[in-house]
Amino acid sequence: MRERQGILTNLDITVFLLWLILTIAGCFTVYSATSMGESIEFFDLSAKHGKQLIFWVVSLVLMFIILSLDYKFITRSSFLIYGAAMLLLLLTLVIGAEINGSKSWIKFGSFQIQPAEFAKLATALALAKFFGTEDKPFRNRKNYLIIMGIIGLPMLLILLQGDFGSTMIYLILIFVLYREGLSPVPIYLGFIAIAISLLALYFGFAKVAIGIAVLTGILFWRSSNKRKSWKLLSLFAVSGIGYAAAVNFLFTNVLKEYQQDRILVLLGMKEDLRGVGYNVWQSKMAVGSGGLLGKGFKNGSQTQGDFVPEVSTDYIFASIGEEWGFIGALFVIGLFGWLIYRLLFLAERQRSAFSRVFIYSVACFFFMHVFVNVAMAIDIFPSVGIPLPFFSYGGSSLLSFSLMLAMVMRLDAERLYVLR
Amino acid sequence: MQQVDVRRNSILGFFGLLFFILLAQVFYLQVIDRDYRMASNSISVVEQTILPARGMIYDRYDSLMVYNSPVYDIYFAIRNVKDSAGICDLLSIEQDYLREKIAEAEEKGYYYKPYPLVRNLSESDFARIQEELYRHSELSVVTAAQRRYNGNNGALVLGFMGEVNDKDIEDSEKYYGLGDYRGKTGLEHFYEDSLRGIKGKKFILRDKHNVLHGSFNDGIRDVKALPGKNLHTTLSKELQAYGEKLMRNKVGSVVAIEPKTGEILALISSPTYDPNWLTSRNRSDYINALTQDTLKPMFNRAIMAEYPPGSTFKPMASLIALNDDAVNINFSFPCRGGYSLNRGKPGCHEHVRLRNMADAIRHSCNAYYAENFRRSLTHDKYDGDVRAALNHWAEDVKKFGYRTKFDLGIRGAQAGFFPDSDYYDKIYKGWNWGPMTIISLSIGQGETTATTLQMANATAMIANKGYYIEPHLVKSFDDEGNSTNVERVESGYTPSSFDYVIDGMERVYIDGTAAASKIDSIAACGKTGTAENPHGADHSIFVAFAPKDDPEIAIAVIVENSGYGSTYAAPIASLMMESYIKDSIAPRKSWIEQHMFDSDLTGRGDKDYLEAILEETKEENEENSSSNVE
């Protein structure tokens, strides 16, 4: 066993510097996006960006605490943290405050926290813990159920809160499972499911059902081994048609009207610039009007003019795009790309399954957040309302993502001393 | 299980692909597609126009004639109108008017953009509604400037302002915007570009609530407005006003010129109107009334109406014949109540026997001038070629500014007419025509016509003894010195010939046809005229200048349908000259002045103009409808 060295010696400085740049850029963006063309003191702690600054300091302190803790604290308390997070999610359903149609916040005086943000960290820990203790995680049905449970429980609780966006984020963990040995078939099925969903929404159930029937018919006619393919194809046809029916049912009966509208607008099936499409249109126009070089800090006329709804949270990318142009957008997306690449790199070099799964999960969460957030700001994804890490205004999100990175760095610093 | 590498790379590839799609779409939106930039600029940045102060207009003595006064325009956004009855109450407008405006705005696509609803509210009107305005978020106020006329004179010279039409906007390459005002007639129109200045621009950040947040981007794109230049006219405000007062309730025109400079001192067309009427709130009522009026107050008689100059042509006829050596100053011709060589045509009035040319001018003898003209046309040097001789006359009258269109910067100036040989060849189609056929030209009748301006100008030529300066209305723009280039036109006649003619014109005042209008202590020279008018009573014409030795003013007055030149035209011209030179009227003549003020040839009296016109048109309509019934 190697001799232990100070934590700072083995700290992955790249991740830390990326965190530093992104969070500082984030604070400035929130400052600009909330000032609405008026000059406010940057260090005004009562303003939104001031609160963000406080959370930044809190994050920094907590990150140092985590880095100075024994790594075993992280591995051992994983389920405890997971359990606490789930309780918090349950509590939110009971005493949560309803904002923008979802009951996702718990108020503490003037601050409010969003437990769903921390639930991602907890889920990553729990998933890592399970894979860390199981040599062959996919060996039996029980393990599958445990994995589905770990991921499914927070999804269910968050969906009950009415936060469809945050629920959807968890789907990205399928890639972690795939990395750990899950058959790629579920991913293929996932893509087929997405395709069927889109087609069902676009063309209606009847046409899709006929389409699936015809397709399977052709496949059966063309297949060389009809005895063998008969079962598989009929299964495909029945489940596909059933799924299309389910999609239609879910769409009309489970999704709230504003969510339906957002999807319809995105699919180009509904044109409503004054209604639901207004947000997207305004955001798209803000980004588009930024041009190559942008309009300059605090000079974005769309975002400063308060035309873009939720510009400091869900649509913060509109502010980046408008004020810093394509150069700024490239910079931000590039840094996130670098961070995610770095995380995947770190994950792969871990000796313990715990560290690897945890870091993979964190990387996937980052990816999903950045992709969905930017994609909805430029109108290639439905507006589901999830934050851009480090940029969107909100202490819970900043804190949760910072802690994830702190844990990643802590685990990575320990990698050489961990026995496989 | 697949290889770990494959799995890791698939994930990396998948993530990379999606990020690439993001960047590609961002790049497309920001760099390739320009629509968003344009849309953004029209939504969140308001371009406010800063209207420059329009140049003021002064008279020759720097007395203010036209200035600007603040007014308030109310604009409205039609899609935000909630309480239409409330708006009508507040602004005291009719529901129909509001509906009309909404339809207009809709047609032009002004849904949320403010569209002008009520314009030119005075400060007191605005004060009345100001407190209630906040209740109507659909209304917005724009402070504007309205033209005001100091005094109420010179309406047709100064012209009026009006809202730009689509063509104006197009012609100005979009300098003007909807609802802008520009000069529509007169000097306001002609010198629009100098008077209006240049608009400024201010870019202001607007939020989604339509609240403005001050300068956008620290105002780097803002442009300051450049104020318009002040215009100094050649008019004498006092003389213009005095002349308009004398011409009240008469139809006709007056033009007064300073001979040495060609500067127009007064340009009057009567009946006229108060220019302030056309900036008032019931502007359209006035415009309707003015255009319907049978006396045509919008028609500038001073430059647009062509009259036969009548006997006022005689001094010119003498000068042309003298300088052509057709006659000499001592030539005389026996008048027997008419031109004996042409069976008594043209006829003449009773007067003493003529001894020379000066007597002919003094008594305005028609027979003399007929012979004067005949001798000229049959002069030896033309070898019996009457055509060439007539063309020589046509050229010579041009030297006096006849057959010339003077561009004063007011639209509609006419050139008048004097026929040449081609004209008669065409009329008589090969028939032989000779001096006797066209003898009425000799006394300023027949085909001869001139505008009041031309008659005044020809008089200035005589006063100057041989030249005139192209008449004009503008002295200068602010500090720019004399910016208008004016032409000096020479007659080429001998100065002595002018002396004889002027002596004759002086006798007109001393003991001739205008003796009754004599001016105390000023040697004035004049010539009466009576233009035969096929439509009614003769027009009274008078041309004059004074003082004889150093002329300060040359004037032409026409009073339509009022008889001999000595009845109205001569007294009015004389009073104006006396007032201009001496600044006062001799007490001896105040009864004439009063008589001129009081004379009412139109029968309108002191009635309010709008009421009078409305009454008249109403009567007319009633007559029409009753005649229809029959």
Side-chain angles (χ1 to χ4, degrees), chain A residues 152-260:
Chain A
L153 182 60
M155 287 178 76
L156 178 69
L157 292 173
I158 294 168
L159 191 63
L160 287 175
Q161 291 176 1
D163 186 352
F164 180 73
S166 295
T167 310
M168 193 192 61
I169 291 295
Y170 288 85
L171 293 177
I172 198 68
L173 292 177
I174 191 93
F175 285 98
V176 181
L177 305 183
Y178 167 65
R179 166 62 185 81
E180 293 303 311
L182 181 69
S183 151
V185 172
I187 297 180
Y188 300 152
L189 288 179
F191 282 123
I192 292 172
I194 290 172
I196 291 178
S197 310
L198 291 178
L199 292 171
L201 291 175
Y202 211 86
F203 296 108
F205 167 72
K207 283 180 187 168
V208 172
I210 293 166
I212 292 172
V214 171
L215 184 71
T216 42
I218 291 170
L219 287 175
F220 180 71
W221 177 56
R222 299 280 297 174
S223 67
S224 48
N225 189 345
K226 292 201 166 53
R227 283 172 67 96
K228 203 177 162 191
S229 59
W230 179 82
K231 268 188 181 172
L232 193 67
L233 284 174
S234 54
L235 182 69
F236 171 73
V238 169
S239 57
I241 292 169
Y243 177 75
V247 165
N248 268 19
F249 176 80
L250 284 173
F251 183 79
T252 44
N253 297 312
V254 175
L255 286 190
K256 293 177 179 159
E257 204 176 323
Y258 74 97
Q259 291 166 327
Q260 295 177 3

Side-chain angles (χ1 to χ4, degrees), chain A residues 38 175 178-179 181-182 284-285 287 289 291 295 299 301-302 305-307 321 325-326 348 360 367 378, chain B residues 2 4 7-8 10-11 14-15 19 25 27 29-30 36 39-40 43-44 205-208 213 216-217:
Chain A
E38 280 142 37
F175 285 98
Y178 167 65
R179 166 62 185 81
L182 181 69
K284 201 172 160 185
M285 183 153 62
V287 174
S289 67
K295 299 178 184 172
N299 262 332
S301 53
Q302 298 297 122
D306 199 17
F307 284 92
F326 179 67
E348 287 295 342
Y360 248 103
F367 170 79
I378 58 176
Chain B
Q2 280 168 304
V4 167
R7 293 187 172 229
R8 187 197 64 199
S10 323
I11 293 169
F14 180 72
F15 285 7
F19 264 38
Q25 172 72 359
F27 185 77
L29 284 180
Q30 297 194 307
Y36 295 99
S40 156
I43 287 174
S44 58
L205 181 69
R206 169 172 63 187
D207 72 13
K208 64 174 178 184
H213 285 275
F216 172 64
N217 223 344

Side-chain angles (χ1 to χ4, degrees), chain A residues 28-88:
Chain A
F28 276 101
T29 310
V30 169
Y31 173 57
S32 172
T34 54
S35 64
M36 296 305 161
E38 280 142 37
S39 48
I40 308 173
E41 191 69 26
F42 184 71
F43 290 101
D44 181 354
L45 298 184
S46 63
K48 269 189 171 182
H49 66 274
K51 286 186 183 175
Q52 192 77 354
L53 271 178
I54 295 174
F55 273 106
W56 183 79
V57 174
V58 171
S59 303
L60 192 65
V61 171
L62 284 179
M63 284 171 83
F64 274 105
I65 291 174
I66 284 171
L67 288 175
S68 59
L69 284 174
D70 191 328
Y71 86 102
K72 289 197 185 85
F73 173 80
I74 298 171
T75 53
R76 282 177 188 163
S77 57
S78 292
F79 280 136
L80 197 66
I81 293 172
Y82 180 78
M86 294 310 116
L87 277 177
L88 215 50

Side-chain angles (χ1 to χ4, degrees), chain B residues 171-187:
Chain B
D171 290 350
S172 69
E173 283 165 358
K174 301 258 161 109
Y175 173 85
Y176 297 109
L178 189 85
D180 278 358
Y181 280 87
R182 63 157 293 154
K184 286 284 180 181
T185 64
L187 296 178

